[in-house]
Amino acid sequence: MARTGTLSRRALLLGAGAAGGYVAGRAWAPGLSQLDGVDRIGSTPEGLFLNDASELMATPIHIHQRPAAHGDALVEAFRAELAAAQSENRPVCVSAARHSMGGQSIPRDGHAITVDDAWIEPDTAAQTYRVNGGARWRDVIAALDPLGFSPAVMQSNHDFGVAATFSVGAHGWPVPYGPMGATVRNLRMVLPSGEFVTASRTENTQLFQMAMGGYGLTGLIVDMDVDMVPNQRLTTAFETMPAADFPAAFQAAVDDPTKPMAYGRLNVTRETLFDEALLITYSPTENQSDIPPATESGWMSYAASYLYRGQVGREGMKDWRWWVETSLGPRFAGESTRNSLMNEPIITLDDRDPTRVDILHEYFVPFDAFDGFLEACRDVIPDAFVEFLNVTLRFVDADTDSYLPHSPTPTIAAVMSFTQEMTARAEADHQRMTQSLIDRIIAIGGRYYLPYRPHATQSQFTRAYPRAADLAALKREIDPTLTLRNNLWDSYMARL
């Protein structure tokens, strides 16, 4: 990543973004094609299968289509696919990169559609850009950066699809924003009936609310109008503190208009788990002229990933990594740009181990419940069979739009990265640990995130997302044949 003579954010913080997005992995079967390191399609004598980033969701599908179209042509392609699927009573699901981890982007025995071409039309006067649903965030940065602009909010990393970010209610680390959907002005989508509609907070409001964070169960998104902000040259500040002090310090940073980007970290050594926190903030420099072009991270990020992976089975390495991030890293901190900080690919996180897979969790915790979150993690995580590698703390403002809000009030989002063996024993223990954590987080008023492993019980799902039944009922009204389906619907919402 281009700096002004300094290391990239990922190299500096040794995988700071590892907990900000989904992880890349390896091929799961012979002869399959690998798309951006994650989307897996393979065939067996029994038929066609599709997998996601978990590498644990090999799911039979009927057909996989990749329409190279946007605008009116994409509308017609969507309509044709819906009609074909409905004629055979098969489900449909559209995705871009399939970085989910529990089949939320896969239609069992159905029509999987991958849309990943990029079309972006910026409007500098309105400070918005129109983007097709399948564009990736790297495409958005490439289009906006030469104009001096940046996405107001984008999901980390830059490999994710823009419409997918909206559909899963994902957020970023610029402050003081809520989910990326809060920056969407309007969207155009094809409903299960084939009707092409525009939805916003003032037009077809209910459809907009259903689509935001609705996991593609409402319609197939064609394009969206999204907010952009001026790109900036930024400088970094670091502050280490007891973990219990983090909420107050983080809130102060979020409330400070001179700090447009901020996030935190916690130490992950088992014996001292979550004793310390690190707050990283970014402020504009005095010189905002001649901002350099955004580039991706360089070789240092790849080198740093080896230290990140070195934590597996080595508690001492976790201590050393924490020392590097809190003591050594700040000495090399310098200037960067807003776009360069967010322009990070997933491939730097590849674990290079065919026997293990990275699995993410995310919990959304009210600021006044942060101590309860720390206590829950200290009680549950150390005894688990999985290896805990990383946690990143981000601010998410209240989501007052969607039917499945993970942050109905302002929260601290704790994005956690684990690595587990690809064995039944590891998966069973991981499920046990996850259910224990979810129970504790719900008890303190928090929620868990839905794109990851489907380990939650039905009761946990309904307690964490009490409006899910309303969304399910509305979906049945606009999609009586239940054409738009995925594993989130099949496993949880179909029961409501």
Side-chain angles (χ1 to χ4, degrees):
M1 177 188 301
R3 290 270 198 176
T4 52
T6 62
L7 302 181
S8 73
R9 177 176 71 99
R10 190 174 308 286
L12 187 64
L13 293 177
L14 303 173
Y22 310 115
V23 290
R26 302 155 302 282
W28 60 274
L32 79 174
S33 66
Q34 189 169 328
L35 310 173
D36 282 355
V38 176
D39 188 4
R40 302 190 187 15
I41 300 156
S43 60
T44 72
E46 290 74 35
L48 191 65
F49 285 77
L50 191 61
N51 211 331
D52 59 19
S54 70
E55 304 187 33
L56 302 170
M57 287 300 301
T59 304
I61 61 171
H62 176 64
I63 194 170
H64 179 242
Q65 301 282 22
R66 303 181 68 91
H70 58 264
D72 292 342
L74 184 58
V75 171
E76 293 308 314
F78 281 163
R79 284 172 169 163
E81 208 63 39
L82 285 167
Q86 288 167 347
S87 70
E88 298 181 355
N89 193 30
R90 294 185 184 276
V92 172
C93 184
V94 63
S95 303
R98 291 188 181 85
H99 290 97
S100 55
M101 294 186 169
Q104 296 88 347
S105 57
I106 305 176
R108 179 173 291 275
D109 297 318
H111 290 232
I113 306 174
T114 297
V115 181
D116 57 5
D117 66 318
W119 176 81
I120 297 122
E121 183 180 273
D123 183 341
T124 56
Q127 295 201 18
T128 63
Y129 58 96
R130 176 162 288 186
V131 56
N132 68 308
R136 309 293 182 90
W137 287 109
R138 59 174 177 256
D139 304 317
V140 175
I141 289 178
L144 302 189
D145 191 68
L147 304 177
F149 283 92
S150 179
V153 174
M154 63 166 273
Q155 186 179 356
S156 173
N157 298 86
H158 75 186
D159 311 77
F160 305 128
V162 176
T165 297
F166 175 81
S167 297
V168 302
H171 58 89
W173 56 286
V175 296
Y177 295 97
M180 173 266 174
T183 70
V184 173
R185 301 282 185 93
N186 60 68
L187 61 91
R188 301 193 302 166
M189 63 181 169
V190 178
L191 299 179
S193 64
E195 182 183 1
F196 183 47
V197 300
T198 297
S200 69
R201 290 173 179 82
T202 57
E203 181 181 3
N204 290 315
T205 304
Q206 190 172 75
L207 290 176
F208 182 87
Q209 294 171 334
M210 293 171 65
M212 179 174 166
Y215 289 80
L217 297 171
T218 302
L220 308 182
I221 295 176
V222 175
D223 53 42
M224 301 182 290
D225 290 329
V226 190
D227 290 335
M228 62 188 188
V229 299
N231 191 21
Q232 292 179 303
R233 190 192 297 265
L234 302 171
T235 187
T236 319
F238 298 78
E239 184 181 359
T240 305
M241 64 195 72
D245 295 342
F246 181 80
F250 197 26
Q251 186 68 68
V254 169
D255 292 340
D256 187 343
T258 69
K259 294 181 171 62
M261 304 185 82
Y263 67 98
R265 304 291 301 283
L266 295 168
N267 73 301
V268 297
T269 311
R270 287 177 187 263
E271 289 188 2
T272 60
L273 186 65
F274 290 1
D275 281 357
E276 288 189 298
L278 174 64
L279 175 63
I280 305 98
T281 58
Y282 294 82
S283 301
T285 63
E286 291 186 8
N287 177 19
Q288 290 295 316
S289 62
D290 300 322
I291 296 177
T295 58
E296 296 181 5
S297 55
W299 68 271
M300 283 297 296
S301 290
Y302 292 85
S305 70
Y306 282 88
L307 179 56
Y308 181 80
R309 293 294 162 193
Q311 298 176 108
V312 179
R314 300 180 181 92
E315 292 297 300
M317 188 68 77
K318 295 178 183 179
D319 283 330
W320 188 42
R321 178 184 169 219
W322 185 249
W323 174 82
V324 170
E325 294 180 0
T326 57
S327 300
L328 183 62
R331 301 177 193 176
F332 294 92
E335 294 183 7
S336 186
T337 72
R338 191 180 195 277
N339 281 336
S340 290
L341 286 167
M342 297 191 294
N343 200 29
E344 290 280 359
I346 287 178
I347 192 63
T348 57
L349 305 178
D350 187 6
D351 62 15
R352 300 176 294 275
D353 185 345
T355 69
R356 305 188 70 90
V357 64
D358 287 2
I359 300 295
L360 299 186
H361 294 209
E362 186 164 5
Y363 300 99
F364 300 87
V365 182
F367 275 70
D368 59 5
F370 192 69
D371 284 348
F373 165 74
L374 297 176
E375 181 181 359
C377 292
R378 290 168 182 151
D379 288 346
V380 173
I381 293 175
D383 292 334
F385 184 60
V386 296
E387 188 83 47
F388 189 22
L389 296 181
N390 189 73
V391 59
T392 299
L393 305 173
R394 296 177 178 170
F395 173 78
V396 185
D397 203 4
D399 172 7
T400 59
D401 289 311
S402 67
Y403 278 85
L404 299 177
H406 48 64
S407 299
T409 63
T411 63
I412 297 174
V415 198
M416 306 164 78
S417 179
F418 298 85
T419 176
Q420 71 169 64
E421 294 178 356
M422 296 183 70
T423 63
R425 174 185 65 165
E427 177 69 359
D429 187 71
H430 202 152
Q431 182 178 40
R432 176 200 60 79
M433 183 197 75
T434 304
Q435 290 179 359
S436 296
L437 276 177
I438 290 174
D439 270 340
R440 296 285 294 268
I441 300 304
I442 292 175
I444 60 174
R447 299 187 178 187
Y448 73 98
Y449 199 21
L450 295 174
Y452 300 136
R453 296 295 297 146
H455 286 161
T457 65
Q458 182 72 23
S459 173
Q460 288 175 331
F461 171 73
T462 54
R463 282 185 287 148
Y465 293 92
R467 296 190 68 196
D470 295 334
L471 178 60
L474 291 170
K475 179 201 167 44
R476 289 186 173 98
E477 290 181 11
I478 66 167
D479 187 10
T481 59
L482 299 179
T483 300
L484 300 184
R485 301 203 305 272
N486 54 30
N487 192 54
L488 178 67
W489 176 270
D490 295 342
S491 295
Y492 295 100
M493 297 187 68
R495 306 177 188 179
L496 300 176

